[in-house]
Every structure is written in structure tokens, then in C-alpha cells.
Amino acid sequence: MNAHDSSAKLDTFKASGPGGQHRNKRESAVRIKHLPTGVIAQAVEDRSQHMNRASALARLRTQLALKVRNKVDLDSYSPPLELLCILPLASTIRGSECGPQIGPKNPKFVLGMQALLDLIFAVEGSVSEAAKLLGLSTGALSRLILSDDSLRMAVNELRASKGMKPLK
């Protein structure tokens, strides 16, 4: 997804708040709305519209990864490449085509995070079941989930709705 995508609406506006002479008088704040889902992300912290657009787009991608679920067929499940790249090196199904493990600070982590959440939602929050499908120990998958705050909160929200204990 990019800011020029027809499924997204981009608005620019003047940010309000303190700042006096350092507050930009131009419309540098950016708001992006994903039209199919209604998810909105905005950025106002930079004086550059280009920087704010990049920040808002990254936030929108993260919000979509956390909120939009894709259906997973557990009977014929094969993890997508995006998910394989965020798995720890200890995974038995992680191939050499992935290269080094992608961490939470990498922009590509969001795609793997979405695929991981899709799988965890498909197994109804069971980390041990998801770990088996990914060739990991339950502890290794738990550490991966806990490495990113937004991923941890999404998984714990699902687990709470199913009456399960949260991951800590």
C-alpha cells in the first residue's frame, strides 16, 4: 500500500498546538484513511509534509496488520515468506532464503506480524498450537510475540476474549 493507492484517502491540514514561530504555517500534517476498512493514521510531528506522509503510512500499515485478519486454512497451512523471515533462526521450517531474522524495528516486520496474527487467530489464541505449525518451541514463539508491544497487546486481547491467561 502506498499514499497514492486508490484504496486510501490522503488529507493534509494545519496542525494546531504550541510552537509559536516554530509551528509551520503550511499544511504539513497528514492524515491517511484506508477506505475499505475505515482505519485512520495521521502524523503531525514534523514540519515536512513528506516526512509526515511517510510516518502516517507506516502507522497505517501497522494498524492494518493489527486490525485486519486474513482467513487461514489450518489443514493445508504453509507459512508465507513474510512470516518465515521474522521467525527465530531456531525454527525448523525457516529456510535459508529468508536471510537474517527481521526484528520489530524493520519496516518489513509488519507483514510478518500480520501473518503471525492471522495464524494465532486461526488457532484461537493457542500459542502452543501456532508454535507447532511454525516449527518452534512455545517459549520461542512467546519471546517473538513479546518482542513487539503492539503484537503482544493484540495477542493478549484475543486470549482474554477466549478466557485464556495473557502472555507476560
Side-chain angles (χ1 to χ4, degrees), residues 20-154:
Q21 68 185 15
H22 299 293
R23 175 59 71 182
N24 202 340
K25 290 156 185 61
R26 302 283 178 230
E27 292 190 352
S28 60
V30 175
R31 181 181 302 121
I32 302 175
K33 179 177 183 179
H34 187 249
L35 298 174
T37 60
V39 175
I40 298 173
Q42 71 179 21
V44 298
E45 57 275 354
D46 205 288
R47 293 177 72 179
S48 161
Q49 188 181 95
H50 296 289
M51 296 293 287
N52 282 336
R53 183 180 301 136
S55 296
L57 195 54
R59 289 178 187 149
L60 182 63
R61 285 184 180 127
T62 301
Q63 289 298 321
L64 289 173
L66 292 171
K67 294 182 179 181
V68 177
R69 299 279 55 88
N70 297 314
K71 186 162 174 36
V72 172
D73 182 16
L74 294 175
D75 296 329
S76 61
Y77 183 72
S78 174
L81 184 62
E82 297 87 16
L83 176 53
L84 291 175
C85 290
I86 70 167
L87 293 179
L89 300 174
S91 173
T92 58
I93 62 169
R94 189 179 200 281
S96 60
E97 70 277 359
C98 292
Q101 180 183 3
I102 293 175
K105 296 198 184 302
N106 189 314
K108 294 179 182 175
F109 184 81
V110 172
L111 296 172
M113 178 174 72
Q114 183 172 26
L116 179 58
L117 280 171
D118 291 341
L119 176 61
I120 290 173
F121 270 72
V123 294
E124 298 186 355
S126 172
V127 175
S128 60
E129 287 297 315
K132 286 178 192 170
L133 290 168
L134 296 173
L136 288 172
S137 68
T138 304
L141 184 56
S142 294
R143 284 189 294 278
L144 174 63
I145 293 167
L146 296 173
S147 71
D148 184 72
D149 287 339
S150 54
L151 178 57
R152 176 184 50 83
M153 290 190 309

